[in-house]
């Protein structure tokens, strides 16, 4: 059996070597470039898969914005102002490790499910859930909306100033270019 295996391996090696011997020099070069490209592509794809997997681990069902909003509303609705002052220092220490461990994720899911059950039992939510959610969002996001509007107004003012500066520079440039053309024509006459 060992002889037959060695013979089959030897035949496979000779068939590979004969197939590469039959290729011209240019064909071998192209084959090498193609192989190198495929190796690079595999490397890039594998690194992208690793990055995606790491990002997915950090997310909860891919709903980052909702998670942040829920965390902020839960913390603001359950705490009084006195408790917030005491716990602000604790929160700043806990936020970086919030979802790094499975235990913290489980605690978050447990808290969120309790909050959801309280919301579902609330009479105003049972009567008209959409109106209740709209009212809640208006109350919680009103301050955010005002801050965004102020930033937008400020941004628009800055943009207008930059646009006016660009227009002034273009106008000055056109004016200089116009006078250069006139000056060169007068010299030639």
């Amino acid at each position: 059996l060992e002889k037959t295996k060695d013979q089959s391996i030897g035949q496979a090696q000779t068939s590979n070597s004969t197939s590469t011997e039959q290729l011209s020099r240019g064909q071998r070069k192209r084959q090498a470039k193609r192989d190198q490209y495929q190796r690079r592509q595999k490397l890039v794809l594998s690194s992208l898969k690793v990055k995606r997997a790491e990002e997915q681990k950090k997310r909860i069902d891919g709903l980052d914005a909702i998670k942040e909003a829920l965390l902020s509303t839960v913390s603001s609705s359950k705490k009084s102002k006195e408790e917030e002052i005491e716990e602000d220092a604790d929160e700043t220490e806990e936020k970086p490790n919030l979802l790094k461990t499975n235990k913290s994720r489980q605690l978050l899911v447990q808290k969120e499910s309790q909050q959801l059950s309280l919301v579902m039992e609330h009479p105003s939510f049972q009567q008209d859930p959409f109106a209740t959610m709209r009212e809640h969002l208006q109350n919680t996001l009103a301050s955010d909306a005002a801050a965004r509007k102020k930033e937008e107004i400020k941004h628009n003012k800055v943009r207008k100033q930059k646009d006016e500066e660009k227009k002034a520079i273009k106008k000055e440039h056109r004016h200089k270019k116009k006078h250069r053309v006139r000056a060169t024509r007068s010299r030639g006459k």
Side-chain angles (χ1 to χ4, degrees):
L1 288 174
E2 291 180 15
K3 288 182 181 180
T4 57
K5 287 182 183 177
D6 291 338
Q7 288 174 355
S8 65
I9 293 172
Q11 288 174 353
Q13 289 176 349
T14 56
S15 66
N16 286 340
S17 63
T18 55
S19 66
T20 56
E21 289 175 4
Q22 292 174 356
L23 297 175
S24 68
R25 181 174 179 236
Q27 289 172 333
R28 287 191 304 265
K29 282 184 172 182
R30 286 190 292 275
Q31 182 67 36
K33 284 184 179 181
R34 188 178 305 119
D35 293 340
Q36 185 180 13
Y37 173 76
Q38 289 174 346
R39 276 184 263 135
R40 278 191 211 146
Q41 191 174 14
K42 286 180 184 178
L43 178 67
V44 168
L45 290 175
S46 65
S47 66
L48 287 174
K49 285 181 183 179
V50 169
K51 284 182 183 178
R52 286 182 192 149
E54 289 174 359
E55 288 176 0
Q56 190 63 29
K57 287 179 184 176
K58 293 178 184 177
R59 295 182 189 161
I60 293 180
D61 298 331
L63 303 172
D64 292 332
I66 294 174
K67 175 189 76 172
E68 291 172 6
L70 286 173
L71 287 174
S72 64
T73 56
V74 168
S75 64
S76 64
S77 66
K78 287 189 176 181
K79 298 175 187 173
S80 67
K81 291 183 180 181
E82 297 171 355
E83 292 174 346
E84 285 180 355
I85 294 170
E86 294 173 1
E87 293 181 5
D88 278 344
D90 295 336
E91 284 181 358
T92 56
E93 294 172 3
E94 291 177 336
K95 281 185 182 178
N97 297 328
L98 188 61
L99 297 175
K100 286 188 177 182
T101 63
N102 285 333
K103 188 174 183 179
S104 63
R105 288 179 184 166
Q106 289 173 351
L107 288 173
L108 177 66
V109 169
Q110 185 180 10
K111 288 178 184 177
E112 293 299 327
S113 62
Q114 289 173 354
Q115 182 69 22
L116 180 63
S117 64
L118 290 174
V119 169
M120 298 294 280
E121 292 171 2
H122 199 276
S124 65
F125 184 80
Q126 289 176 350
Q127 286 179 345
D128 192 3
F130 292 111
T132 305
M133 285 189 282
R134 185 173 358 112
E135 182 182 351
H136 170 70
L137 290 174
Q138 286 174 347
N139 292 338
T140 57
L141 301 177
S143 61
D144 290 343
R148 285 185 193 148
K149 196 161 200 163
K150 286 180 183 179
E151 287 180 25
E152 186 177 332
I153 291 170
K154 185 178 180 181
H155 180 70
N156 287 339
K157 285 181 182 179
V158 170
R159 184 184 296 163
K160 285 180 183 179
Q161 288 175 349
K162 286 182 180 180
D163 289 343
E164 289 174 3
E165 289 173 4
K166 285 180 183 179
K167 286 180 184 178
I169 290 171
K170 283 182 181 179
K171 188 175 181 180
E172 184 178 318
H173 180 69
R174 278 190 238 133
H175 182 69
K176 285 182 181 179
K177 192 175 181 181
K178 199 176 194 182
H179 285 293
R180 269 191 254 147
V181 171
R182 287 182 185 167
T184 54
R185 286 185 187 166
S186 62
R187 284 186 204 159
K189 291 182 179 179

